[in-house]
């Protein structure tokens, strides 16, 4: 009974966090605008099964943001590196501040709609010079829809990432960056004296890409808790359900479904997950999902 109550609480919190984001997209149902735009929904779960303090833009050590400006719509996710907990550092603080700073910069117009890696860099260097030390490490993925040319610009560092599906086929997908198995590239702000012992990649290490999008394209931006636990075929099946969808509520339903499936499979000890397949390819004999924080940002393009 306690497990059932805890599960329902976690699900309701994840859905509430997502629904609170719908206000930025719901107007898309009222009229079809000339300018391209992204309609989005979000859902996620922390790895820990216990009830945690609810913070908008955060699921466990994962963080996310959405922002709109005159020339662009922007989505982003980040995954704080959990190893910092052993040093008394909250791994979620760095990822949350990284995404919150990105959001603020977009809202202020202090970004270039064709250069998401520059946005990540500005956010990172603001944290670097912050009066209060914000320590930790994080992967990050940011995508920008430039409204002036209907082009999606992407920047990805580490193993968070994005996928774009059009008429049932993956037309673009981010590439993972790994130093070695299960050790992704990451932006880092280590404590004094730890710099030499910590992996620390620069914002310009991000893989960037750009490509034109079409009306109805489906965009998934997510942390590795999704991609490590859900096979691509299953993701495509879910994303096809919202091809061309302009109703944010229906987008939310599918975002919830993807996040919930990823969470369930992450704790399935008999499932041959993408993470288990990757481990086997690296000489590690394991089976099952990978328990992790999960963040799903699901969006469609309306032109």
């Amino acid at each position: 009974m306690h497990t059932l109550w805890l599960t329902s609480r976690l699900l309701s919190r994840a859905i509430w966090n997502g629904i609170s984001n719908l206000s930025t997209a719901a107007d898309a149902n009222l009229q079809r605008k000339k300018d391209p735009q992204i309609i989005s929904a979000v859902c996620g779960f922390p790895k820990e099964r216990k009830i945690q303090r609810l913070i908008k833009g955060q699921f466990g050590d994962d963080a996310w943001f959405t922002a709109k400006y005159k020339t662009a719509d922007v989505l982003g996710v980040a995954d704080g590196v959990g190893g910092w907990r052993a040093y008394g550092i909250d791994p979620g603080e760095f990822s949350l501040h990284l995404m919150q700073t990105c959001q603020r910069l977009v809202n202020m117009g202090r970004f270039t709609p064709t250069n998401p890696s520059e946005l990540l860099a500005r956010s990172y260097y603001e944290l670097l010079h912050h009066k209060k030390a914000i320590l930790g490490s994080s992967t990050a993925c940011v995508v920008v829809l430039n409204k002036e040319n209907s082009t999606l610009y992407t920047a990805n560092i580490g193993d968070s990432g994005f996928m774009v599906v059009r008429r049932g086929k993956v037309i673009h997908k981010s590439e993972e960056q790994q130093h070695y198995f299960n050790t992704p590239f990451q932006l880092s702000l280590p404590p004094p004296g730890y710099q030499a012992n910590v992996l620390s990649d620069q914002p310009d290490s991000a893989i960037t890409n750009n490509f034109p999008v079409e009306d109805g394209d489906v965009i998934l931006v997510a942390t590795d808790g999704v991609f490590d636990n859900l096979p691509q075929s299953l993701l495509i099946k879910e994303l096809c359900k919202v091809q061309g969808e302009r109703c944010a509520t229906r987008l939310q339903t599918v975002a919830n479904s993807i996040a919930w499936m990823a969470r369930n499979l992450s704790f399935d000890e008999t499932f041959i997950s993408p993470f288990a397949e990757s481990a086997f390819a690296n000489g590690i004999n394991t089976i099952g999902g990978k328990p992790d924080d999960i963040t799903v940002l699901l969006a469609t393009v309306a032109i």
Side-chain angles (χ1 to χ4, degrees):
M1 181 63 73
H2 176 72
T3 301
L4 180 61
W5 174 84
L6 185 58
T7 299
S8 65
R9 285 292 301 276
L10 286 171
L11 181 57
S12 64
R13 280 169 172 254
I15 293 173
W16 181 91
N17 208 337
I19 289 174
S20 69
N21 185 54
L22 292 183
S23 59
T24 63
D27 289 345
N29 298 313
L30 302 180
Q31 60 180 349
R32 185 165 180 164
K33 297 181 179 179
K34 283 187 176 181
D35 288 341
Q37 63 174 319
I38 283 177
I39 305 166
S40 67
V42 64
C43 187
F45 296 95
K47 177 174 67 174
E48 301 300 328
R49 295 174 184 258
K50 62 183 180 181
I51 297 296
Q52 298 176 319
R53 184 165 61 100
L54 184 63
I55 300 174
K56 181 174 172 59
Q58 186 176 55
F59 296 111
D61 299 334
D62 285 0
W64 60 272
F65 81 97
T66 65
K68 291 177 178 285
Y69 191 67
K70 292 178 290 185
T71 55
D73 289 354
V74 188
L75 308 173
V77 297
D79 179 4
V81 176
W84 284 109
R85 195 168 278 109
Y87 297 89
I89 295 172
D90 178 1
E93 185 176 23
F94 180 81
S95 56
L96 180 62
H97 279 82
L98 185 71
M99 293 292 95
Q100 287 179 336
T101 305
C102 282
Q103 183 179 42
R104 177 173 53 79
L105 291 170
V106 172
N107 290 337
M108 295 172 62
R110 293 176 53 196
F111 75 109
T112 304
T114 58
N115 195 346
S117 64
E118 179 188 63
L119 175 61
L120 270 177
R122 286 186 176 182
S123 178
Y124 172 76
Y125 288 118
E126 276 205 20
L127 297 188
L128 181 63
H129 298 104
H130 201 277
K131 290 181 180 179
K132 176 191 172 186
I134 299 171
L135 306 175
S137 306
S138 177
T139 66
C141 180
V142 173
V143 304
V144 179
L145 173 64
N146 186 325
K147 298 181 180 182
E148 295 179 343
N149 59 7
S150 298
T151 297
L152 197 71
Y153 294 83
T154 68
N156 186 67
I157 185 160
D159 57 4
S160 294
F162 72 89
M163 178 188 294
V164 180
V165 169
R166 178 183 300 160
R167 292 184 285 277
K169 294 185 178 181
V170 176
I171 60 167
H172 291 283
K173 187 177 185 295
S174 57
E175 179 184 343
E176 276 193 3
Q177 293 174 300
Q178 299 272 1
H179 289 284
Y180 42 89
F181 175 67
N182 204 29
T183 307
F185 279 39
Q186 53 202 259
L187 301 174
S188 298
L189 291 180
Y194 284 81
Q195 287 86 345
N197 304 317
V198 172
L199 291 172
S200 184
D201 301 289
Q202 296 302 305
D204 58 11
S205 298
I207 296 176
T208 60
N209 198 359
N210 68 86
F211 45 88
V213 290
E214 297 181 2
D215 182 56
D217 283 353
V218 184
I219 303 168
L220 172 68
V221 184
T223 54
D224 65 325
V226 175
F227 296 113
D228 281 344
N229 288 298
L230 290 181
Q232 182 168 297
S233 59
L234 187 53
L235 281 173
I236 294 172
K237 182 179 178 181
E238 290 299 305
L239 298 184
C240 284
K241 294 178 181 178
V242 290
Q243 173 80 43
E245 185 59 71
R246 293 173 182 269
C247 174
T249 303
R250 287 195 281 271
L251 271 177
Q252 186 66 58
T253 299
V254 175
N256 296 347
S257 175
I258 293 172
W260 189 241
M261 284 192 295
R263 179 172 176 78
N264 283 341
L265 290 174
S266 73
F267 290 103
D268 187 334
E269 297 179 354
T270 63
F271 176 58
I272 307 297
S273 65
F275 179 79
E277 291 177 341
S278 179
F280 185 77
N282 283 272
I284 301 171
N285 191 13
T286 187
I287 193 172
K290 178 193 175 189
D292 203 351
D293 303 313
I294 290 162
T295 298
V296 173
L297 265 175
L298 179 63
T300 56
V301 177
I303 300 177

